[in-house]
Amino acid sequence: MLAKVRSVAVFGIDAYLLDIEVYIATGDMPYIAIVGLPDAAVKESRDRVKAAVNNSGYRFPYKPMTINLAPADRKKEGPVFELPIAVGILIATGQIEAPDIQECAIVGELSLDGRLRPVRGCLSMALKCKDLGIKKFLVPSENASEAAIVDGIDVIPITTLEDTVSILSGAAPAVSHKINRDELFRESSGYDVDYADVKGQEHAKRALTVAVAGNHNIIMVGPPGSGKTMLAQRIPTIMPPLTLEEALETTRIYSVVGLLAPGQSLIATRPFRAPHHTISTAGLIGGGSFPRPGEISLSHNGVLFLDELPEFERKTIEVLRQPLETGYVTISRAVHSVTYPARFMMAVSINPCPCGYFTDTARECHCTPHQIQSYMSKISGPLLDRIDIQIEAPSVRYKELVSDREALSSADIRKKVSVARSLQKERFKDQPAMINAHMSSKQVKEYCKLDKAAEALLFRAMTEWGLSARGHSKILKVARTIADLDEDEVIKTEHISEAIQYRSLDRSLWK
């Protein structure tokens, strides 16, 4: 007999419909053939399915059996197909009847006793089911809240193979899992840290405000213990709140990788990723035989923080250049390629020298000029040119640490940032670039016009520091953002002056 069951699989962060066909032939020589480009985990499913069927009170057929995973030209991975395979076997052997089976999509990994384990990528699967008009989506109960984020489909939580059979045969009601998406979004959108906790570093806070307002990449130079990491960790708290569309896109990435916490159904805060400097290129960009998202994709719609940038492998950080420009990364293999989103704000911290105390007035630096030059040269010019804002973060003085002066909170700073972002949204309406950092050369020329005094100041800075053409463009973009924070249409001398101050690594001190 032949049975067909619908399932869903994930490729990259997108899902596609999968038809599982089970054919049981007559004969005395039992075997199970799984075809359709299965990987090792899929091939091992036959043993788990056999044990789950028998331990759930049903009979596993010992006859020639062929299981086809269509479309056959896509490689299949993981145990996500075990539950639909088991259901197909029970239908093919006549042990159950499921008249509405074509209106359902089923996913789930089986334990040997018939209980279900959660699977990855359930949010992408639910979105695909909605697009295809599939009415019911049967998922392990631990994935139900994640899938129920998608409106327009009935997500049916199941815990065992026996529960699944009861629902499909009509012996038990198919109770859909519902959540209040708006309430969940509000409850999950808070942060545990705040800029009010940071003492001193007012110059750095101002620079970070400018960076976030225009989504500019930033590098902080300072001795150990000056608070660079603390400042970076709080960048998401001053970024505009995630929209629901951004939250869904971010959650899809984390779901595919399996990084959603138990019971977590939606990521409603900006991601903050801080990989260690020993990370591999594949870990940063993504990769593997079945390409997985890397740290830059996990930072999508959030912040990628690289602490002590010169300690990273040069070839590893050089691959950041293309994603920083395009906002996505493509991983190619012999027979397929996959594209992941990677639109993030990059924050970088470095020490001014190998020992870290070259610019510290309280501690003596023992590094030679050659050591300092060699250390700083580990950051390539092309990558440095893609970082709009470069600032110094000096050590915090004792008086600032014990001061009772009330600092601006993240909420206060976020209000200023939101105003600047609103101006940019209106300015770039119906244009490819939606934010200052992503302006094209044509847009820079159109929206970053200077008066004579500001132009003279910029000319002098370009001449004395020998800035590149990209450095000139970065100053103009940052000045445009500073003017937006002041709600000024025209870029004035003070805006250019502040933008020039944010090019610390271009000064002769570092050359």
Side-chain angles (χ1 to χ4, degrees):
M1 292 185 64
L2 177 66
K4 294 183 180 180
V5 180
R6 284 182 161 186
S7 187
V8 195
V10 174
F11 181 74
I13 64 170
D14 297 315
Y16 63 94
L17 185 66
L18 192 78
D19 286 325
I20 297 177
E21 302 172 327
V22 179
Y23 174 68
I24 300 177
T26 57
D28 298 327
M29 185 175 293
Y31 70 86
I32 304 174
I34 301 180
V35 296
L37 295 181
D39 72 345
V42 178
K43 292 179 180 179
E44 291 174 355
S45 295
R46 55 191 173 192
D47 297 315
R48 288 189 290 271
V49 170
K50 184 188 299 183
V53 168
N54 289 328
N55 289 327
S56 298
Y58 304 101
R59 176 180 50 83
F60 190 87
Y62 290 91
K63 294 183 178 182
M65 184 186 308
T66 302
I67 300 169
N68 180 40
L69 309 178
D73 60 344
R74 282 192 172 184
K75 197 170 183 180
K76 319 302 186 305
E77 65 163 336
V80 67
F81 316 118
E82 292 174 2
L83 178 60
I85 288 174
V87 170
I89 291 172
L90 295 178
I91 294 174
T93 55
Q95 297 183 63
I96 65 170
E97 292 184 2
D100 299 329
I101 190 66
Q102 291 304 307
E103 297 180 0
C104 305
I106 307 172
V107 295
E109 176 187 350
L110 284 170
S111 300
L112 298 184
D113 60 358
R115 288 183 293 180
L116 290 173
R117 300 180 185 275
V119 297
R120 296 179 179 180
C122 231
L123 178 56
S124 295
M125 296 176 185
L127 289 167
K128 189 63 177 180
C129 288
K130 179 183 178 180
D131 292 342
L132 296 174
I134 295 174
K135 297 180 179 179
K136 297 178 182 178
F137 185 33
L138 279 66
V139 300
S141 57
E142 294 182 42
N143 295 120
S145 295
E146 175 189 342
I149 290 292
V150 181
D151 287 332
I153 62 170
D154 290 330
V155 175
I156 314 299
I158 46 181
T159 56
T160 64
L161 173 58
E162 192 174 359
D163 289 343
T164 308
V165 170
S166 297
I167 291 171
L168 293 174
S169 63
V175 181
S176 61
H177 185 76
K178 300 294 183 184
I179 62 171
N180 188 325
R181 189 167 66 175
D182 294 334
E183 182 179 346
L184 177 66
F185 192 74
R186 287 194 299 269
E187 291 176 351
S188 306
S189 58
Y191 293 92
D192 296 328
V193 294
D194 195 285
Y195 266 116
D197 305 329
V198 181
K199 299 290 186 179
Q201 297 293 10
E202 298 303 322
H203 174 65
K205 291 179 187 177
R206 168 63 180 178
L208 287 167
T209 302
V210 174
V212 173
N215 205 52
H216 303 286
N217 301 318
I218 185 170
I219 185 168
M220 295 177 283
V221 186
S226 59
K228 302 185 296 293
T229 301
M230 189 176 186
L231 287 164
Q233 288 172 339
R234 286 155 176 77
I235 293 176
T237 67
I238 63 173
M239 299 178 81
L242 277 177
T243 64
L244 182 58
E245 182 180 353
E246 289 175 329
L248 288 172
E249 190 174 30
T250 303
T251 305
R252 287 174 65 192
I253 299 171
Y254 278 71
S255 175
V256 167
V257 181
L259 290 180
L260 288 180
Q264 186 180 20
S265 55
L266 186 68
I267 294 176
T269 56
R270 299 275 177 182
F272 177 82
R273 304 293 298 181
H276 193 261
H277 62 78
T278 56
I279 191 171
S280 65
T281 302
L284 186 63
I285 298 298
S289 55
F290 281 93
R292 299 289 187 187
E295 289 291 334
I296 63 170
S297 295
L298 293 171
S299 305
H300 182 61
N301 291 322
V303 179
L304 176 68
F305 177 53
L306 302 179
D307 193 14
E308 303 302 333
L309 184 65
E311 301 299 329
F312 285 76
E313 288 287 339
R314 177 95 177 234
K315 64 178 182 180
T316 298
I317 59 175
E318 284 301 307
V319 296
L320 289 172
R321 288 158 57 177
Q322 184 255 350
L324 284 171
E325 293 286 341
T326 63
Y328 62 86
V329 59
T330 299
I331 304 169
S332 298
R333 293 293 177 265
V335 294
H336 62 266
S337 63
V338 60
T339 298
Y340 291 115
R343 179 70 70 187
F344 56 89
M345 175 184 163
M346 185 172 73
V348 175
S349 76
I350 63 172
N351 291 333
C353 66
C355 76
Y357 300 108
F358 178 45
T359 59
D360 194 349
T361 57
R363 301 186 65 172
E364 184 179 357
C365 172
H366 299 285
C367 301
T368 65
H370 175 72
Q371 288 175 322
I372 296 173
Q373 180 64 33
S374 176
Y375 181 77
M376 298 301 293
S377 65
K378 290 181 180 180
I379 309 172
S380 72
L383 181 63
L384 191 60
D385 271 346
R386 285 166 172 82
I387 300 176
D388 301 10
I389 297 178
Q390 309 160 0
I391 62 165
E392 296 177 55
S395 298
V396 181
R397 298 177 181 178
Y398 177 76
K399 288 183 179 180
E400 294 175 323
L401 287 174
V402 299
S403 173
D404 292 332
R405 179 183 175 186
E406 189 172 337
L408 280 175
S409 67
S410 293
D412 295 330
I413 300 175
R414 192 188 305 120
K415 290 178 182 177
K416 298 181 180 179
V417 170
S418 297
V419 170
R421 289 286 185 104
S422 297
L423 292 173
Q424 293 167 56
K425 186 176 181 180
E426 180 64 26
R427 177 184 302 127
F428 301 122
K429 184 170 57 178
D430 302 326
Q431 296 188 42
M434 293 298 293
I435 205 160
N436 288 339
H438 304 154
M439 281 192 290
S440 65
S441 299
K442 182 179 178 181
Q443 289 170 323
V444 169
K445 187 176 181 179
E446 181 178 356
Y447 298 117
C448 300
K449 295 179 180 179
L450 310 177
D451 58 26
K452 290 186 178 180
E455 192 170 345
L457 180 61
L458 181 57
F459 172 77
R460 189 171 64 185
M462 291 285 296
T463 305
E464 292 181 2
W465 293 350
L467 296 178
S468 65
R470 182 175 276 131
H472 174 266
S473 176
K474 297 298 185 186
I475 289 177
L476 289 176
K477 290 179 182 180
V478 171
R480 177 68 269 169
T481 301
I482 296 169
D484 289 341
L485 284 168
D486 290 343
E487 301 184 52
D488 280 337
E489 283 292 328
V490 180
I491 299 177
K492 300 177 181 177
T493 306
E494 57 265 30
H495 302 145
I496 283 289
S497 177
E498 183 177 352
I500 291 172
Q501 291 180 34
Y502 297 146
R503 302 297 298 181
S504 295
L505 294 180
D506 292 325
R507 298 173 190 169
S508 58
L509 174 66
W510 308 104
K511 296 183 179 181

